[in-house]
Amino acid sequence: QVQLVESGGGLVQPGGSLRLSCVASGSISSIYYMGWYRQAPGKQRDLVASITSAGYTNYADSVKGRFTISRDNTKNTVYLQMNSLKPEDTAVYYCNARNVLNRYWGQGTQVTVSS
């Protein structure tokens, strides 16, 4: 089992920045992929950014150049640095981890971009 706990969400003005954190615990040595997804009201949950154990990253087109995903293996933590935030970035952001057996989700953290 893998447990994921997100933090760092909040209310920010357009153009502002936030950094989300996701701390993993449990059977973390088996994780080969971690990602951030988001879900706005009435919409499906979509990939925002992902990073593999080899360090390969992938981003949704809508966040390229504004968001950066990174990981600190010493802290079992994945980060999502979000800059130049827009109102359309408003959503609940979820951390996701995968091993060969299962996919795991955190509880989500709300990000609201509004003036």
Side-chain angles (χ1 to χ4, degrees), residues 12 37 51:
V12 63
Y37 290 71
I51 187 166

Side-chain angles (χ1 to χ4, degrees), residues 18-23 33-36 48-53 55-59 67-82 95-96:
L18 283 175
R19 188 177 79 158
L20 306 183
S21 300
C22 172
V23 180
Y33 168 104
M34 292 193 73
W36 286 97
V48 176
S50 64
I51 187 166
T52 69
S53 55
Y56 293 107
T57 59
N58 183 45
Y59 296 90
F67 291 11
T68 303
I69 190 170
S70 61
R71 61 192 297 168
D72 184 339
N73 293 329
T74 65
K75 297 181 179 179
N76 301 325
T77 301
V78 172
Y79 303 99
L80 184 68
Q81 178 66 44
M82 306 185 294
C95 182
N96 173 261

Side-chain angles (χ1 to χ4, degrees), residues 25-100:
S25 61
S27 301
I28 57 175
S29 62
S30 63
I31 296 173
Y32 66 88
Y33 168 104
M34 292 193 73
W36 286 97
Y37 290 71
R38 66 186 180 188
Q39 187 168 21
K43 296 188 177 182
Q44 66 181 19
R45 189 176 298 186
D46 292 325
L47 174 69
V48 176
S50 64
I51 187 166
T52 69
S53 55
Y56 293 107
T57 59
N58 183 45
Y59 296 90
D61 287 343
S62 60
V63 306
K64 284 180 180 178
R66 300 188 297 124
F67 291 11
T68 303
I69 190 170
S70 61
R71 61 192 297 168
D72 184 339
N73 293 329
T74 65
K75 297 181 179 179
N76 301 325
T77 301
V78 172
Y79 303 99
L80 184 68
Q81 178 66 44
M82 306 185 294
N83 299 328
S84 302
L85 282 160
K86 304 175 181 180
E88 51 263 44
D89 295 317
T90 295
V92 178
Y93 283 69
Y94 296 91
C95 182
N96 173 261
R98 300 177 189 177
N99 59 21
V100 294

